[in-house]
Amino acid sequence: MNKKNSSGSKILNKRHLKQNIKRIKPSVKNFVYISFIILFTGIFAFLIKHYSLNSIENSNTTKTTILPVTKKNNPPNNLNNENAKQNYNNSKISEFFSEKELLKSRKPVINTNKHLPKVAIIIDDMGYDYEIAQKFIDLKIAITFSIFPHGPLRKQIALLATNQGYEVMLHLPMEPIEYPMVNPGKDALLTSMSPDEILEQLNKDIDSVPSIKGVNNHMGSKMTTVSNQIYQIFSILKKRDLYFIDSRTTKNTVCKASARLLQIKFAKRDIFLDHEVSYNFIRNQVNQLIQTAKKKKKAVAIGHPHHLTYEVLKETLPLMKKEVEFVCPSELVKVVNSEYAHK
């Protein structure tokens, strides 16, 4: 009896074992399938992430630009070195930006408003002080340097101005009434000179300052009253396509009549900004300049390379920009007609 029971229990145990194995097999298969899915999903995600990082790194390396460090302009030791530095800086900048991008990024120095009266400011007696020239340039308005033909830094200052888009003039020394007690300086035109001497000296003076657009007189209270000699001077200016601005160092000047006769572009000085070098005087002259420009729709002012003149202009710029438009003298000069000659 016991043997039969033991054999029966064995049979039952085998049946239970088979049933349990059948139940386990599907769960094992499911586990394997799930494991494979997880594995392949992980591999796929890794590949996508790796590819995305590489593409981002590649795009960053192609688009990253290094901005060149700009330094403030220093006075050049000589003209050749300045040209070399300018060419080098231009070539380095062009490595990072296309010409189209550079043109878009450049801001015009002069903001124009066609509804405001026009003012031209000329700084006389330039050619000696590079530092003050740089300061006037940094005002970022249309300002014109009138440079002595004998100034030791005339070429460097002319290059500084023209590189920034400013006009340059020749500040032509002429004989004053007080000569020889008052000397107009080297390379001056004197009434004692013959016509050939005047023309020779004038051409030398014009050639001594590069890129000039016009001429105005330094002193000249005697020379500008002598008609035949002014005719000779203006005949050369006409041939060289240069305008003339009369500094009006005497009320007896004949420059306007001579300009009308020879049909050269001409204008006259309206305001001296600083023939008295004091803060209150220069500030008052700036106010006079604004009023003159409003009355005549234009005005020409002449100043000198004094640090106080620079400081007053810098201080009054916000006011002046609301009242007038700064322009180069070439925008104000015109050929003199009969009607204009009597004004």
Side-chain angles (χ1 to χ4, degrees):
M1 184 71 180
N2 291 332
K3 289 182 180 180
K4 288 181 180 180
N5 289 337
S6 62
S7 62
S9 62
K10 287 180 180 180
I11 292 169
L12 287 173
N13 290 335
K14 287 182 180 180
R15 287 179 181 174
H16 286 302
L17 183 60
K18 288 180 180 180
Q19 289 177 356
N20 290 334
I21 290 172
K22 287 180 180 180
R23 289 174 184 171
I24 291 171
K25 280 184 179 179
S27 61
V28 171
K29 288 181 181 179
N30 292 339
F31 175 78
V32 172
Y33 291 151
I34 292 170
S35 298
F36 274 113
I37 290 170
I38 293 172
L39 178 62
F40 283 120
T41 303
I43 293 172
F44 185 72
F46 173 79
L47 291 174
I48 290 175
K49 184 177 181 181
H50 182 71
Y51 177 80
S52 299
L53 287 174
N54 283 342
S55 62
I56 290 171
E57 288 175 358
N58 290 336
S59 64
N60 286 339
T61 54
T62 56
K63 292 182 180 178
T64 300
T65 57
I66 302 171
L67 296 177
V69 177
T70 57
K71 295 182 179 179
K72 187 175 180 180
N73 290 333
N74 293 318
N77 294 327
N78 57 58
L79 194 58
N80 292 331
N81 284 344
E82 179 66 18
N83 283 331
K85 290 176 183 177
Q86 185 70 27
N87 292 335
Y88 174 77
N89 288 335
N90 289 340
S91 66
K92 295 304 289 181
I93 292 172
S94 64
E95 288 181 10
F96 303 106
F97 301 99
S98 67
E99 179 136 359
K100 186 181 287 187
E101 290 172 326
L102 283 172
L103 290 173
K104 286 181 180 178
S105 66
R106 287 176 188 152
K107 294 181 179 179
V109 171
I110 304 163
N111 293 321
T112 59
N113 188 329
K114 301 301 180 183
H115 302 293
L116 295 176
K118 296 182 178 182
V119 164
I121 296 180
I122 301 168
I123 304 299
D124 277 356
D125 299 353
M126 299 298 286
Y128 289 89
D129 191 337
Y130 191 96
E131 180 184 353
I132 193 67
Q134 181 68 65
K135 285 187 173 183
F136 280 112
I137 289 288
D138 290 341
L139 291 175
K140 302 297 182 186
I141 60 171
I143 202 161
T144 300
F145 293 158
S146 192
I147 302 175
F148 276 129
H150 53 267
L153 297 177
R154 61 188 183 278
K155 292 183 179 180
Q156 291 92 328
I157 291 174
L159 183 65
L160 170 69
T162 54
N163 280 347
Q164 299 295 325
Y166 296 102
E167 279 189 9
V168 172
M169 297 174 60
L170 170 67
H171 197 38
L172 181 62
M174 291 184 178
E175 181 179 334
I177 293 173
E178 301 86 356
Y179 182 80
M181 291 185 64
V182 176
N183 193 335
K186 186 180 176 183
D187 303 322
L189 301 183
L190 305 175
T191 56
S192 60
M193 289 179 169
S194 68
D196 287 341
E197 287 174 330
I198 288 177
L199 297 182
E200 181 182 0
Q201 184 61 61
L202 177 57
N203 279 311
K204 285 181 179 178
D205 291 346
I206 291 172
D207 292 336
S208 68
V209 181
S211 305
I212 64 170
K213 300 294 184 182
V215 176
N216 75 328
N217 52 295
H218 171 64
M219 299 189 181
S221 55
K222 184 175 182 180
M223 176 70 82
T224 56
T225 65
V226 183
S227 297
N228 63 325
Q229 292 181 323
I230 291 297
Y231 293 160
Q232 294 169 31
I233 293 168
F234 283 7
S235 66
I236 295 298
L237 300 188
K238 185 177 180 66
K239 288 179 182 179
R240 309 275 306 244
D241 193 26
L242 299 171
Y243 60 75
F244 185 81
I245 292 182
D246 187 358
S247 300
R248 291 186 61 81
T249 54
T250 174
K251 64 180 182 179
N252 298 319
T253 175
V254 296
C255 289
K256 183 186 289 186
S258 301
R260 179 178 66 85
L261 180 67
L262 291 171
Q263 292 290 282
I264 70 168
K265 292 180 180 179
F266 175 87
K268 64 182 181 67
R269 182 267 310 161
D270 295 293
I271 299 289
F272 270 130
L273 292 175
D274 53 6
H275 52 285
E276 180 182 317
V277 186
S278 70
Y279 174 84
N280 290 334
F281 181 84
I282 298 172
R283 183 65 189 261
N284 183 65
Q285 290 301 95
V286 168
N287 292 333
Q288 289 294 321
L289 174 62
I290 293 172
Q291 296 306 314
T292 301
K294 287 182 175 179
K295 182 179 179 180
K296 298 174 59 178
K297 306 300 181 186
K298 62 180 181 179
V300 176
I302 291 179
H304 298 84
H306 304 306
H307 286 274
L308 185 57
T309 302
Y310 160 75
E311 293 294 342
V312 174
L313 286 178
K314 182 180 178 181
E315 178 186 311
T316 55
L317 267 184
L319 169 65
M320 295 179 73
K321 285 180 177 179
K322 294 177 182 177
E323 303 289 342
V324 300
E325 175 194 355
F326 295 102
V327 299
C328 297
S330 59
E331 293 192 38
L332 299 186
V333 295
K334 64 179 183 178
V335 174
V336 181
N337 55 37
S338 298
E339 181 181 354
Y340 176 65
H342 295 292
K343 289 184 180 179

